[in-house]
């Protein structure tokens, strides 16, 4: 962020780390639900005059495993909300204690275990040199 340029343009730059955490968590949950139920493609098909119910029924989230990478403010809220759908919670976060993960209802696992066991993966970590190194070390599964 170019703070000098923003200030010169009359734009106030502030650090407000909790200002939109609920909105971000709710949007993540909405995306998980939308993907599980194929809402976007089903909507497009319906707008195109097609009703292919069986093609777009999707999957139930109950008893599926949610892998949360980054169990901080937003990741923790996502985990708590998705637990209400009956999902099992596993998480990777080197900075969160087992006690905090247990409080949320998640089990801390290694990143490799998370990739192997999770049906759905959501990522909530800052972009830092450390997290970038982690992401480039992982081969794509697709």
């Amino acid at each position: 962020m170019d703070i000098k340029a923003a200030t010169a343009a009359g734009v106030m730059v502030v650090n407000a780390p909790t200002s939109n955490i609920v909105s971000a968590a709710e949007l993540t949950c909405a995306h998980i639900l939308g993907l599980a139920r194929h809402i976007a493609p089903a909507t497009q098909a319906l707008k195109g005059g097609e009703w292919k119910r069986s093609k777009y029924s999707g999957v139930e989230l109950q008893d599926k495993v949610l892998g949360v990478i980054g169990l901080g403010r937003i990741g923790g809220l996502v985990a708590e909300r998705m637990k209400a759908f009956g999902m099992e919670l596993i998480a990777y976060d080197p900075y969160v204690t087992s006690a905090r993960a247990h409080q949320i209802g998640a089990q801390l696992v290694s990143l490799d275990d998370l990739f192997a066991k999770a049906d759905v993966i959501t990522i909530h970590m800052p972009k830092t040199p450390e997290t970038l190194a982690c992401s480039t070390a992982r081969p794509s599964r697709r």
Side-chain angles (χ1 to χ4, degrees):
M1 174 64 65
D2 186 340
I3 296 174
K4 283 185 179 183
T7 302
V11 176
M12 184 169 52
V13 177
V14 298
N15 180 14
T18 61
S19 65
N20 68 344
I21 60 172
V22 171
S23 295
E26 288 178 356
L27 180 61
T28 300
C29 294
H31 283 304
I32 291 169
L33 290 165
L35 289 169
R37 291 301 181 160
H38 308 293
I39 291 173
T43 299
Q44 284 303 107
L46 191 57
K47 286 180 178 179
E50 299 176 356
W51 176 247
K52 297 181 179 179
R53 182 178 177 184
S54 62
K55 183 177 180 180
Y56 298 116
S57 61
V59 297
E60 292 182 351
L61 294 175
Q62 175 133 357
D63 298 324
K64 297 289 189 283
V65 178
L66 175 66
V68 182
I69 300 175
L71 201 58
R73 292 181 182 114
I74 297 170
L77 290 175
V78 170
E80 289 171 345
R81 282 156 174 73
M82 296 314 293
K83 185 174 182 174
F85 285 88
M87 295 190 84
E88 178 186 339
L89 306 175
I90 60 175
Y92 170 79
D93 192 321
Y95 304 108
V96 169
T97 65
S98 298
R100 175 62 182 142
H102 181 74
Q103 183 182 36
I104 293 170
Q107 175 190 3
L108 288 178
V109 297
S110 71
L111 200 52
D112 288 332
D113 283 346
L114 185 141
F115 287 135
K117 296 176 183 175
D119 297 299
V120 177
I121 297 172
T122 183
I123 303 172
H124 303 280
M125 297 186 87
K127 182 179 178 182
T128 65
E130 182 180 74
T131 59
L132 284 174
C134 180
S135 69
T136 57
R138 299 276 168 231
S140 173
R141 294 186 349 169
R142 299 195 196 269

